[in-house]
Structure formats: C-alpha cells, structure tokens
C-alpha cells in the first residue's frame, strides 16, 4: 500500500478520471456560464456581443424580481430553521422514546412525503387547495368556517405562505430522520446522570439533547439554507413563480429567464450570483452555528 | 468516551455526505421524447433514388387524434409515394419542445424539418441562422392556396423563414345546455357577458374557464378588448413597436378598465391562476364551466370521442362580444398564424427535405387533412366537404365573416423578453390586484425595455 501512495504515476492514474469528470461536468459549465453572463446572448448559438457587467448591474440595481426571489428563498430557509426543525426535533425525541413496533411504524409514516415524487406532491396540493372542489375548502365548509374559503395558491396575498407551508411539510421527514439518527447516538447514561442531578422533562432535553445534537443541527441549518435557495420543482409545478411574482424563487426565475424570455446571458448572470449566494449562505451558517464542540 | 465521539463523528460524516448529495442533486429536465420512425418498407424495386432518412421534430406527441393524427397521415402518404424515404419523427409536448429546440439550435443539430412557433420564438432561430430562408414566389398559386397575409409572423426583415400551418383565432367556446338550463342569454355585448357571469356565479357555476397559469390568454383577452374599443387592429402591435403608447392612448385606458371589470365580476373560474391549459380545458369539457376562452385550434373537441356525447352536442362558438360605445365590430377578428414548419439549415439532405416540406405544405395534404379530421383551421383555402361538425361550420363562419384580422398576437409581436414581462404584468393584475393604470405602465415599460 505504501508503495502505491509513493508512486506519483499511480496517484495520477487513480485520481485523474474523477478530476476529469468533475471538471467537465462542473467546472467547465461554470466557466462557460460566467462567459455567457458577460454577453447579451439570446439563446445558446446565437450571435451576441460583449456587454461587460451590464447584466449584473441590471440584476443588482434594477431588478426587483431577482431580489424578491432571493427574499422568498431566505424566508423559506428561515421557515425551515425556525419552524420545521424545532418540530422535527420534538418529534424525533418522541419517536426515540416510543420504542418497539410503534417507533418503526411512525418513522415510516413521517417519511412517506419524502419518498413520494415531487410531481405527485405538487398535483396533490393543487387538488387539495382547489377553491372549487378542493378537500381543504370543503373541510372549512363542514367546520362552519366557510368565510375562510380561499384560492390559496391563486391569490398573491396567501400564495407565498401556502407555498412555504407545502415545502416545509414536504421536507419534514428528512429533518426528522437526521435528528432521529443524532438522538440514537446520545448514550442513555447522559440522561440517567442528568436525572440524578434533578433535571427532568423539557429542561432535560434543553440541557442535554440540544447541546449534544449541535453538530447535527449545524449541518442541518446549512442544508436547509441550500435546499431553500435551490427550490425549484414544487414551485415550478404549482404556481411557476406566480401569481404575479409572489412565489418567485431563484431557480424558477432563472429557468424562465433562460427559456421563456430568451435572455440567456441574463439568466447566466443570475446563475453566477446564485452560486455566490449559495457559497455565502454555507459560509455564514457554518460561521454562525460554530460553537465549541461539546465534550463529554 | 471514545465510542461517543466516534458516533458523533459518524453523524457529522453522514450529514456531510447528505450535504454533498443535496448540493449535487440537480433536477434534470425530464424530456422523454419518443423517436418513432414511421417507415413503410415498400419494395425498393419501383423506387427511385437513394435510401434517405429525414428527421422531423414536432410539438404534437398525440398521434392518435387532433393535429398529431393529421401530421402522421401526411407523413404516411409521403412515405407510401416515396418508398426510399424514411421519416424519423421526434415529438415533445409544447413547453419541453420549445426548450429542446433551443438546445438543438445551440448544438446545430442536423434536423431536416422542424415545427416552429411564429413571431418571437422563430426570430431567435432566424438570428442563430438555424432555419432556411424560403422563396415566397414558389408558394403562390393553386397548389398551396395560402390565404393572404398569413406570412406575417414568419417574415423577418422582409425574408420568409417558414410556412404557417393553421389560422389561429380567439373565440369563446360555450356550452349551450348550461346557458339554457340556467336561463342565461348568450351574450353579444361585453356588459351582457359580465352580467351572465354574475348570474352563473349566483348559481354556483363557473362562468368562464381560462388557463391563467400560462398567462398568455389574458393578453389575448386584453387585445380583443382593445380591438373592440378602438376598432383598430394594429393598435396593440403599434404599441409593442412603440409607435403608440400604452399609457396615454384612450383606447388602452378604456380597455384596461373593462378588463378590471371582468376581474371584479369574477368572470373566470375560482382557480384560474393555478389552472394550466389542460386544467382549464377539463373544467369546460366536463361541463363545470359555461364558457372557455380559447383558440380555433380546439375545433377537434366536437369530434373527440373521449369527451361525453352530451358535451359534444352542446359545444358552440361565440364571437368576442362588442363593447358599448366601442368602435370595433364583432367581425374584427383577433387572428394570427402561430404554428408552422421551417427547413433547418444544417440538414444533411437539403433537397430531399425540401421535397417533403413542399409536399407537407400542399393544400391537398396538411390543409385538407387537418380540416377533414376536424383538428384545426388551416392557413390555406380549404373545400368544405359537407361532413363538418357543427363546431367546424361555426368556426368557418367566424373566419370567413371576418372583416379585419390582427395578423399577430401582441404578445408574440415583440421579443421573448417582452412576452415574459408582459405576461408578468397580467399576472400581477389578475392575482395581485394592481390597478388598470399600473398594468398599462408595466406594459409600456416592457415595450420600452425589450
């Protein structure tokens, strides 16, 4: 083995295919994207002229739709972190304490939305929330709350909140699974020792579980931010960023700019900013959540 | 002790792996095109010329009914007459089709013939030099029989780059039975239309179905209103060209207010902002909406066996109603030519491709077939066979009775960017409750910044 590690040719031979693949599928397209973003390309293959940073200045200073899309993505990220995750931690603790058959059962149930295809989820919510024949409005009717009936996804004032709800619901199982796995790694002795010291219930979990889960929480927050920024499919299939721009997300906006509006150069400028925002979000969330590792 | 740190590290590792997988999991655009080569293995004995395979790219995936069936019939006719030619067909649904065609254009894929959308979409292909210029002189006369003025969306800088396959025009389809059963009169004026909407609403019936998610129908509806108010077919197109202004012209201001009235009267179905094309059609064909605002290319509804007989017997056509005090008549038709075919520059068999293209566009091929199957209204003169459905007859009357036509949909008249911005303005207007003035200001801005 030592021989192999000292042999430069061997190292090169083993690493090269992977590096090459990575370069061709990731690096080259990113550079191409950067190149196109500096031109006023209508579509790939059309003649275009060099426009310098015009696309970027337009985006950053004159394009309210871009900022709106970014704002929505950040809202979704915050929704994941402050709404989805606490609930997920709570349910993970509950699950962990169940044990036996019931635990397996509920674990499966919670995870179902994650294995259903995005298309099915999107169409399902569209039907559920349909103002005329949707089950949700029917339910409101039977509860005598008819005045609350609404075109949930079709009205600017409620579309975003509804969309955030759907996305938070759909991703819940993943969050739960991670925290659940994290909990399984906390030894029982910890809890026993804490109980002897007089901690119980909520306090016990606040003092023991949450600090010990911190590495998982850190990763989860980073993941949540990136997932939120990348949101595309569900929005694309339900509202396509509408009505108006109320549920506009970065990836949907980018797609429509590239393929519907034929502003290919502009769309590439969005994608470059998109990469920058993602990297920034990753960096920030790891910075913010960096606490000294809990020793035990 | 050691074990614990280890398990903690494992979790972090798992999470890190998951992070990588999330980062790299990019949605791939699922475009399952089917390349169904339609070949007839004719005996090569009587055939002249080399064996050749032509590639055709089309937006009609359904080959069993409607326009897809008509296209397939013409292909079969041709391969029967020319056994040495095989036609390899690739089809995708509308939106994926547009995207893939752009990808083909970027890689200069050697297609022979492709379906194209006139106006902004085709303009992009022309700029990339992907489609061939045609000589209009070749397509004059009896063999082709094109109606006057149908080349408008296919002509750029006075050069022709494709031929239209249909006459497209907006009408209101309505369900006679729903009107009769509820004692609502079929509207002839815009005020009556809104009044009918209120009556249907009171009875819990959706008055008019529209594909609000796609947004372009709103633009057509608005253009129809502008035509009815001003009596001027070119007004909207001139505004897109910035020869007129959306914000200052009286006709636009009046039309935008009228559009606001439709919004306030809840003319469209409850779920109109999330309804795509199929959803809006289903609402109407299943008898849950009294009207549907759509184009002449849906003539096939009356002969579509998969729809209920009750519906097929009761579907009828209504001209867009006139506006009280407006200068427009109900014979001013919002008509244009959207779909068509072009020859591709990078074709490997230019001569054979042109032969097939000319055959396809002959009046006795596409035009006749599409009319006889009741799929759409062609852009060429067609003979009535006497076996038309009632719906086809009504659509013919609307077209032949038209005193003026628009020539282009305003939305497709500018750049793709204008189309996108314009659609967005209508989206905000209908769902976000912006005022008529704001709508016009946004349209004006879209026209100026295209």
């Amino acid at each position: 083995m030592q021989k192999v590690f000292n042999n430069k040719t061997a190292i090169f031979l083993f690493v090269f295919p992977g590096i090459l693949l990575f370069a061709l599928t990731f690096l080259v397209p990113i550079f191409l994207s950067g190149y196109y973003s500096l031109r006023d390309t209508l579509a790939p293959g059309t003649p275009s002229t060099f426009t310098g940073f015009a696309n970027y200045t337009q985006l950053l200073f004159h394009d309210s739709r871009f900022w709106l899309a970014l704002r929505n993505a950040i809202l979704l990220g915050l929704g994941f972190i402050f709404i989805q995750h606490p609930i997920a931690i709570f349910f993970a603790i509950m699950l962990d304490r169940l044990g036996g058959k019931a635990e397996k059962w509920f674990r499966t149930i919670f995870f179902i939305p994650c294995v259903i295809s995005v298309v099915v989820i999107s169409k399902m919510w569209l039907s559920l929330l349909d103002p005329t024949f949707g089950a949700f409005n029917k339910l409101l009717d039977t509860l005598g709350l008819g005045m609350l009936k609404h075109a949930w996804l079709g009205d600017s004032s409620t579309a975003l909140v509804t969309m955030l709800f759907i996305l938070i619901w759909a991703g819940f199982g993943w969050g739960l699974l991670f925290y659940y796995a994290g909990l399984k790694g906390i030894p029982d002795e910890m809890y026993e020792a804490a109980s002897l010291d007089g901690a119980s219930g909520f306090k016990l979990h606040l003092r023991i579980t949450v600090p010990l889960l911190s590495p998982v929480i850190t990763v989860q927050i980073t993941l949540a931010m990136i997932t939120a920024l990348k949101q595309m499919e569900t929005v694309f299939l339900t509202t396509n960023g509408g009505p108006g721009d109320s549920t506009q997300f970065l990836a949907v906006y980018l797609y429509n700019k590239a393929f519907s509006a034929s502003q290919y150069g502009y769309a590439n400028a969005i994608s470059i900013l998109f990469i920058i925002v993602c990297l920034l979000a990753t960096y920030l969330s790891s910075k913010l959540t960096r606490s000294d590792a809990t020793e035990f | 002790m050691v074990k614990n740190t280890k398990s903690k590290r494992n979790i972090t590792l798992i999470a890190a792996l998951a992070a990588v997988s999330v980062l790299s999991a990019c949605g791939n655009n699922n475009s399952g095109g089917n390349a169904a080569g339609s070949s007839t293995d004719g005996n090569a004995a009587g055939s002249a010329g080399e064996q050749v395979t032509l590639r055709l790219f089309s937006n009609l995936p359904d080959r069993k009914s409607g326009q897809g069936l008509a296209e397939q019939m013409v292909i079969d006719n041709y391969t029967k007459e020319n056994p040495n030619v095989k036609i390899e067909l690739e089809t995708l649904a509308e939106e994926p089709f547009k995207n893939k065609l752009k990808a083909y254009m970027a890689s200069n894929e050697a297609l022979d013939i492709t379906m194209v959308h006139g106006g902004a979409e085709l303009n992009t292909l022309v700029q990339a030099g992907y489609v061939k210029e045609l000589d209009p002189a070749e397509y004059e006369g009896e063999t082709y029989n094109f109606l006057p003025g149908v080349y408008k969306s296919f002509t750029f800088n006075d050069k022709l780059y494709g031929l239209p396959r249909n006459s497209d025009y907006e009408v209101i389809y309505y369900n006679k039975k729903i009107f009769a059963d509820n004692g609502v009169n079929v509207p002839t004026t815009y005020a009556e239309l809104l009044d009918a909407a209120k009556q249907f609403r009171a009875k819990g019936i959706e008055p008019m179905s529209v594909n609000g998610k796609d947004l372009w129908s709103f633009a057509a509806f608005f253009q129809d209103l502008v035509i009815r108010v001003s009596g001027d077919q070119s007004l909207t197109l001139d505004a897109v060209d910035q020869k007129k202004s959306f914000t200052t012209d009286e006709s636009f201001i009046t039309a935008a207010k009228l559009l606001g009235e439709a919004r306030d009267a809840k003319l469209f179905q409850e779920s109109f902002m999330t309804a795509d094309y199929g959803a809006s059609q289903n609402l109407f064909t299943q008898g849950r909406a009294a009207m549907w605002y759509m184009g002449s290319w849906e003539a096939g509804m009356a002969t579509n066996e998969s729809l209920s007989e009750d519906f097929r017997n009761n579907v009828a056509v209504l001209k867009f109603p006139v506006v009280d005090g407006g200068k427009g008549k109900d014979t001013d038709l919002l008509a244009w030519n959207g779909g068509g075919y072009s020859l591709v520059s990078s074709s490997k068999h230019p001569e054979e491709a042109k032969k097939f293209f000319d055959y396809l566009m002959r009046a006795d091929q596409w035009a006749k077939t599409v009319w006889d199957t009741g799929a759409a209204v062609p852009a060429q003169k067609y003979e009535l066979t006497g076996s038309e459905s009632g719906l086809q007859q009504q659509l013919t009357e609307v077209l032949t009775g038209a005193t003026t036509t628009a020539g282009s949909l305003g939305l497709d008249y500018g750049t793709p960017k204008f189309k996108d911005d314009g659609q967005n303005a209508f989206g905000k207007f209908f769902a976000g409750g912006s005022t008529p003035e704001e709508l016009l200001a946004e349209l004006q801005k879209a026209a100026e910044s295209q």
Side-chain angles (χ1 to χ4, degrees):
Chain A
M1 205 66 208
Q2 208 53 36
K3 257 192 191 148
V4 174
F5 281 129
N6 289 336
N7 184 339
K8 292 272 192 290
T9 326
I11 294 175
F12 177 77
L13 274 180
F14 282 117
V15 173
F16 180 71
I19 297 263
L20 183 73
L21 196 68
F22 177 75
L24 287 179
T25 53
F26 270 85
L27 297 178
V28 173
I30 287 174
F31 277 108
L32 273 177
S33 200
Y35 165 79
Y36 278 126
S37 74
L38 301 173
R39 309 180 72 85
D40 61 351
T41 326
L42 268 181
T46 51
S48 63
T49 50
F50 180 77
T51 53
F53 286 95
N55 284 332
Y56 291 95
T57 46
Q58 175 68 20
L59 253 180
L60 293 170
F61 304 109
H62 308 288
D63 190 349
S64 55
R65 298 176 73 186
F66 169 76
W67 291 108
L68 191 72
L70 187 59
R71 186 207 69 179
N72 288 347
I74 290 169
L75 278 179
L76 178 64
L78 296 177
F80 279 148
I81 293 162
F82 292 105
I83 300 169
Q84 189 192 58
H85 290 200
I87 300 175
I89 291 176
F90 174 76
F91 275 98
I93 291 169
M94 288 290 159
L95 256 185
D96 189 35
R97 289 169 58 178
L98 265 180
K101 267 215 166 86
E103 185 173 331
K104 279 201 178 110
W105 229 89
F106 278 104
R107 206 167 55 196
T108 312
I109 288 180
F110 280 129
F111 203 65
I112 282 175
C114 302
V115 287
I116 300 176
S117 120
V118 177
V119 182
V120 175
I121 284 182
S122 307
K123 294 289 166 198
M124 180 186 88
W125 279 103
L126 271 183
S127 314
L128 279 176
L129 296 169
D130 189 283
T132 346
F133 55 85
F136 186 72
N137 281 341
K138 287 259 193 318
L139 182 75
L140 287 178
D141 254 347
T142 44
L143 293 174
L145 297 167
M147 66 280 185
L148 289 177
K149 270 169 55 169
H150 203 75
W152 296 98
L153 279 170
D155 178 339
S156 302
S157 54
T158 54
L160 183 62
V161 177
T162 313
M163 185 60 78
L164 294 182
F165 171 80
I166 293 172
L167 293 169
I168 287 169
W169 170 86
F172 179 76
W174 284 110
L176 181 83
L177 199 71
F178 273 103
Y179 289 122
Y180 176 75
L183 278 172
K184 288 287 174 206
I186 298 175
D188 285 341
E189 298 95 43
M190 303 301 259
Y191 290 113
E192 281 160 24
S195 314
L196 286 176
D197 290 342
S200 65
F202 181 71
K203 201 167 170 185
L204 179 81
H205 288 296
L206 197 69
R207 290 289 157 85
I208 305 287
T209 315
V210 175
L212 289 183
L213 275 180
S214 71
V216 184
I217 293 175
T218 307
V219 174
Q220 280 276 59
I221 286 178
T222 311
L223 276 185
M225 272 334 277
I226 291 169
T227 313
L229 287 166
K230 278 167 42 104
Q231 174 45 235
M232 161 102 201
E233 305 90 330
T234 317
V235 176
F236 188 74
L237 290 163
T238 47
T239 59
N240 198 6
D245 271 325
S246 46
T247 56
Q248 198 63 269
F249 281 80
L250 278 176
V252 183
Y253 185 49
L254 186 158
Y255 179 92
N256 284 327
K257 276 289 179 206
F259 295 110
S260 307
S262 281
Q263 290 177 272
Y264 198 74
Y266 197 72
N268 275 298
I270 298 174
S271 75
I272 294 289
L273 283 178
F274 190 5
I275 294 171
I276 293 169
V277 169
C278 277
L279 291 174
L280 206 66
T282 314
Y283 172 76
L284 280 179
S285 56
S286 59
K287 257 264 185 287
L288 290 174
T289 50
R290 197 148 161 203
S291 54
D292 298 329
T294 2
E295 285 295 332
F296 54 86
Chain B
M1 274 313 221
V2 176
K3 192 186 119 223
N4 291 339
T5 6
K6 205 168 169 182
S7 68
K8 201 164 77 173
R9 203 182 310 145
N10 278 347
I11 294 163
T12 324
L13 192 70
I14 292 166
L17 276 175
V20 171
S21 70
V22 169
L23 266 172
S24 58
C26 234
N28 64 335
N29 202 342
N30 228 336
S31 51
N34 56 337
S38 72
S39 63
T40 43
D41 295 327
N43 48 353
S47 74
E50 292 281 299
Q51 280 292 335
V52 62
T53 303
L54 297 176
R55 293 178 64 192
L56 170 66
F57 187 34
S58 152
N59 69 333
L60 305 168
D62 177 6
R63 313 304 288 177
K64 296 275 178 277
S65 72
Q67 297 188 64
L69 174 67
E71 193 182 54
Q72 192 59 51
M73 283 163 80
V74 177
I75 291 172
D76 292 346
N77 292 345
Y78 189 75
T79 45
K80 241 184 238 126
E81 288 177 33
N82 301 276
N84 63 318
V85 179
K86 250 174 97 168
I87 291 177
E88 191 181 285
L89 177 76
E90 183 187 355
T91 60
L92 281 177
E94 185 70 8
E95 295 302 320
F97 168 86
K98 283 183 193 167
N99 296 341
K100 190 159 186 184
L101 184 56
K102 280 184 183 154
Y104 275 160
M105 177 190 88
S107 56
N108 209 10
E109 183 80 17
L111 296 171
D112 295 294
I113 294 162
T114 178
M115 183 270 160
V116 288
H117 294 88
E121 292 278 334
L122 179 59
N123 194 358
T124 310
L125 298 174
V126 170
Q127 287 185 8
Y130 190 62
V131 288
K132 271 193 190 145
E133 191 190 332
L134 301 170
D135 179 7
E138 280 185 52
Y139 299 99
E140 283 168 6
E142 291 283 306
T143 319
Y144 296 100
N145 252 337
F146 277 101
L147 294 164
V150 295
Y151 295 162
K152 193 166 177 152
S153 307
F154 294 79
T155 307
F156 302 93
N157 304 325
D158 300 323
K159 290 179 183 152
L160 182 68
Y161 288 95
L163 293 177
R165 68 181 180 196
N166 297 332
S167 294
D168 297 327
Y169 46 97
E170 285 288 337
V171 290
I172 296 172
Y173 292 100
Y174 73 104
N175 188 322
K176 287 188 290 203
K177 192 163 179 284
I178 297 184
F179 272 87
D181 287 354
N182 293 287
V184 179
N185 292 328
V186 178
T188 52
T189 69
Y190 193 66
E192 284 172 13
L193 176 72
L194 299 187
D195 190 51
K198 284 171 193 146
Q199 290 179 48
F200 281 125
R201 275 261 164 260
K203 292 181 190 274
I205 297 166
E206 303 282 18
M208 187 186 278
S209 184
V210 71
N211 55 331
K213 190 188 172 191
D214 302 339
L215 298 169
W216 53 262
S217 278
F218 293 137
F221 197 94
F222 179 65
Q223 193 174 349
D224 249 332
L225 275 172
V226 172
I227 293 167
R228 292 289 180 269
V229 170
S230 67
D232 181 358
Q233 283 279 14
S234 55
L235 187 58
T236 307
L237 308 185
D238 285 346
V240 177
D241 264 345
Q242 297 176 69
K243 291 174 194 157
K244 295 265 169 56
S245 159
F246 279 109
T247 41
T248 55
D249 196 296
E250 279 303 319
S251 300
F252 287 122
I253 296 168
T254 314
K257 284 202 179 98
L258 290 170
L259 194 67
E261 287 177 21
R263 181 181 64 182
D264 301 339
K266 296 212 165 149
L267 172 67
F268 303 122
Q269 78 271 32
E270 289 273 4
S271 58
F272 74 111
M273 279 317 285
T274 43
D276 59 14
Y277 194 103
S280 73
Q281 182 167 22
N282 290 342
L283 201 67
F284 178 64
T285 54
Q286 290 164 7
R288 290 193 304 214
M291 294 173 275
W292 186 35
Y293 184 69
M294 199 38 80
S296 52
W297 56 87
E298 283 294 349
M301 282 193 298
T303 48
N304 186 343
E305 295 291 333
S306 63
L307 300 173
S308 76
E309 198 171 336
D310 188 39
F311 169 80
R312 279 182 282 148
N313 294 338
N314 282 299
V315 60
V317 170
L318 187 64
K319 291 175 199 155
F320 196 88
V322 289
V323 170
D324 294 325
K327 297 192 191 85
K329 304 189 293 291
D330 71 352
T331 52
D332 295 327
L333 188 64
L334 173 50
W336 71 96
N337 306 91
Y341 295 97
S342 289
L343 282 165
V344 176
S345 315
S346 50
S347 160
K348 288 203 178 83
H349 320 281
E351 279 150 28
E352 287 288 348
K354 179 140 187 346
K355 257 172 72 183
F356 171 64
F357 177 81
D358 291 350
Y359 182 88
L360 172 69
M361 299 318 294
R362 265 164 44 182
D364 63 355
Q365 289 301 325
W366 170 265
K368 184 177 187 324
T369 313
V370 83
W371 181 251
D372 290 354
T373 53
V377 182
Q380 289 140 291
K381 292 195 189 85
Y382 49 89
E383 296 289 321
L384 292 180
T385 59
S387 58
E388 279 83 7
S389 66
L391 196 62
Q392 277 185 301
Q393 286 166 16
Q394 292 173 36
L395 281 165
T396 306
E397 279 163 28
V398 171
L399 184 65
T400 50
T403 45
T404 64
T405 55
S408 174
L409 197 59
L411 207 55
D412 287 325
Y413 196 64
T415 61
K417 179 179 186 300
F418 170 77
K419 184 175 182 170
D420 189 56
D421 290 347
Q423 287 186 161
N424 190 261
F426 283 106
K428 282 188 194 161
F429 181 76
F430 275 98
S434 57
T435 64
E437 291 73 26
E438 282 167 342
L439 169 71
L440 293 172
E442 292 231 10
L443 288 174
Q444 183 60 24
K445 205 176 116 188
E448 282 166 11
S449 68
Q450 56 183 318

